[in-house]
């Protein structure tokens, strides 16, 4: 069966701050710059979710979009949209992970990779923080083989 | 010789409908939702055509754009632009393939892969149905090796 | 009180066809070109709705977005999204109005102008058919005075 | 002399929260929804600054872009980029103005209108909060006459 | 009859340079900066042409797009696309007008305003030099009254 | 450690011309078309720089953006922005390389690949000449293995 790579885009608006309590104020400012400002700042994040699956002969679908959208609503928009990531997500709380684009996209991967429908492989996540910065993530390794 | 991957973008406006005559009206509605509406709906499709080829020493070209544009005009814009896909393309007629983004991009691949100029390999097609949905296609398999 | 002009964007995917049954096939083809193809074609329409209102001192709002979104969902997305305009909308049925960008935006204006919340004036509609064509509409006249 | 309307775009990433301490938690939640979440959320704001001026015969400029950019850097990007508006800007502190798109654009207008170079009139500010929402502001009134 | 404002977008790629032979090298560099570099630089210009006209009852058109496109091809793309403006256009030759965004859009206005079809008024030209700079032009005055 | 692919976007406006002095005027015109016009034309180039690196545990960074931006400013924007490539860059001088999108992106690769910070691999360059044409480059071969 022919394989297709479908990409669904979803957005969320969130705030974040970069800060390590085990570092001095000077070191935080030096390494994180304006991203260390105490109350944080924010972005209109855009996430591109690419899944890889064979095209079903009867429907012409590689994945059921209704199912995929429901997962993204529950696991991505629900917890992240209109939130301050450091305050809303336990892993990014003070002393935890820094909510960089890299860490946020890896967090989303871990959250949704096990929820893909049967026969559908999560292939790539691309998280855009703004028009000039994005991060691609393939589960932490290089571009994986699609299990077809 | 150095290899480059050149991407050319072309657009077409078309209508489509999802419907299987061998299914009940209820099942069509359940699986295809609003895409099953009888007269169809439409999109401004955007197709990104990526070819892979060595860069010619004399011209600095990987592919002659005039030739590539002529193929895309003849094989993509000609048959699809300002058309209703189910009515204009035999393979998508009633009882045939469902004109999903996956099936349309595979149809385009089959149509143009044999027409590439000498030394130019069709690498990837990416078809955008709208700003939130696109499908990548590599001939039905995974990302192929470019014959350089 | 200070006046603001707020613009909300909403999209819908629809098909349409240009055809006058009182004209010959030749004249239809001559005037309407490929837009006269029998089964129609389609677009991802984008509508920018601009309202004009004073900024409320307590909320900082010129209009309640929840209310505006509900109106646009009911009056624009509901009747038009995933539809063939000639078949779904009585005014654009065979022998009626031609569903050009001009006529569609005027139809939307008539549908929503009377539903604006108190103190909010519908100022302008801008309907984009694709990336190269849009139409602004101010109720059929020139840019109106906002009643503030 | 011929008049031109030049528009310069500048962006800033910021967080904000909607909350009135003189309202109950229930009322704040009812009116402001997810925008009332305690730590706030954020956006990649985009500001379009339109100025109106005669075109100088010797340079072909309506405004010196270097001067305009310096004003926008100092008055817009400086105070707002990578900041939480409620915490960084006194007028939007707790109990003050709600940092809606309307109030933020009016605040920017007041800050820059007096700084325009001689012969250059600030004509319009358009602030985009995201791809679906923007607000135009003409100093609180309707579109003003350009003093040429 | 109802009035519509239709906008057509057309692009052209061109080079330009800012330089006054009657100024010293120092003054040219001081006023024009990097735009004074001898061989020039370039842009993908985007022009939005807005016309104002009543909507025809029989066609639903405010303007015949085929006619408008032919004018823009002949008067805009023809002379400007893939050209160096200072070398290709007499008015912008050495010692003439500086090819700023303001002067180029005014030059286009003068070229096309007399070619509008009967009943169609040229309302506004908006020329984008890049994503951060555009100029609106209404014939050199303020927004004109549409003759309907 | 988990690997991320970060993409940074940077733009530059430049002019270029395609011409081989060892070819006749006729052959230059036949092969290069309007790109052979003597004084050249120009584009707003957009470059996407993708690097591949492990995500650092303490900062959540795959690469320090400040360092990457400094390299791109020095090696890309500095030599190319507001320049005519044939005149400003020795390799593209008359009789040298033709400044096609393929040759320009390969030139940029050679210039920056040796300047990546420790542990960061240059993965891909994507150079957009306009909205319809881009070229991906992986150092002249196919997509390389990231040395992590």
């Amino acid at each position: 069966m022919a394989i297709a790579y479908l990409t669904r885009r979803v957005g969320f608006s969130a705030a974040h701050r970069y800060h390590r309590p085990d570092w001095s104020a000077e070191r935080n400012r030096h390494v994180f710059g304006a991203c260390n400002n105490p109350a944080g700042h924010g972005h209109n994040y855009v996430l591109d979710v690419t899944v890889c699956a064979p095209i079903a002969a009867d429907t012409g679908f590689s994945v059921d979009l209704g199912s995929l959208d429901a997962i993204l609503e529950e696991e991505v928009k629900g917890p992240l949209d209109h939130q301050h990531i450091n305050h809303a997500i336990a892993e990014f709380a003070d002393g935890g992970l820094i909510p960089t684009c890299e860490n946020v996209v890896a967090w989303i991967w871990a959250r949704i990779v096990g929820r893909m429908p049967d026969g559908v492989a999560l292939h790539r996540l691309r998280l855009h923080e703004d028009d000039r910065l994005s991060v691609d993530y393939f589960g932490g390794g290089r571009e994986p083989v699609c299990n077809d």
Side-chain angles (χ1 to χ4, degrees), chain A:
Chain A
M1 291 172 85
I3 300 293
Y5 294 73
L6 178 143
T7 298
R8 187 62 159 179
R9 175 165 283 193
V10 61
F12 57 92
S13 295
H16 67 163
R17 183 207 181 190
Y18 298 174
H19 181 254
R20 288 191 64 89
D22 58 333
W23 284 2
S24 67
E26 291 72 20
R27 188 172 177 194
N28 271 294
R29 170 60 50 176
H30 176 71
V31 174
F32 295 132
C35 296
N36 182 242
N37 286 346
H41 64 287
H43 299 289
N44 301 320
Y45 288 92
V46 174
L47 179 71
D48 290 322
V49 179
T50 302
V51 297
C52 169
I55 306 173
D58 55 349
T59 59
F61 291 165
S62 53
V63 62
D64 178 68
L65 276 180
S67 304
L68 183 58
D69 286 349
I71 295 166
L72 298 178
E73 183 68 31
E74 184 179 336
E75 303 288 357
V76 179
K77 278 204 93 158
L80 291 169
D81 192 35
H82 280 71
Q83 299 290 350
H84 192 303
I85 298 175
N86 304 55
H87 293 268
I89 308 295
E91 290 85 347
F92 295 106
D94 199 36
L97 291 170
I98 306 296
T100 58
C101 206
E102 290 91 332
N103 277 342
V104 173
V105 73
W107 179 86
I108 296 173
W109 179 283
R111 205 167 160 92
I112 67 174
V113 66
R115 297 211 45 193
M116 291 296 108
D118 283 351
V120 174
L122 182 58
H123 174 68
R124 185 188 68 198
L125 294 182
R126 175 172 290 170
L127 182 62
H128 307 260
E129 195 173 281
D130 59 29
D131 289 344
R132 297 190 54 228
L133 182 66
S134 64
V135 172
D136 287 7
Y137 193 75
F138 299 93
R142 296 193 68 257
E143 189 164 343
V145 176
C146 172
N147 299 309
D148 46 301

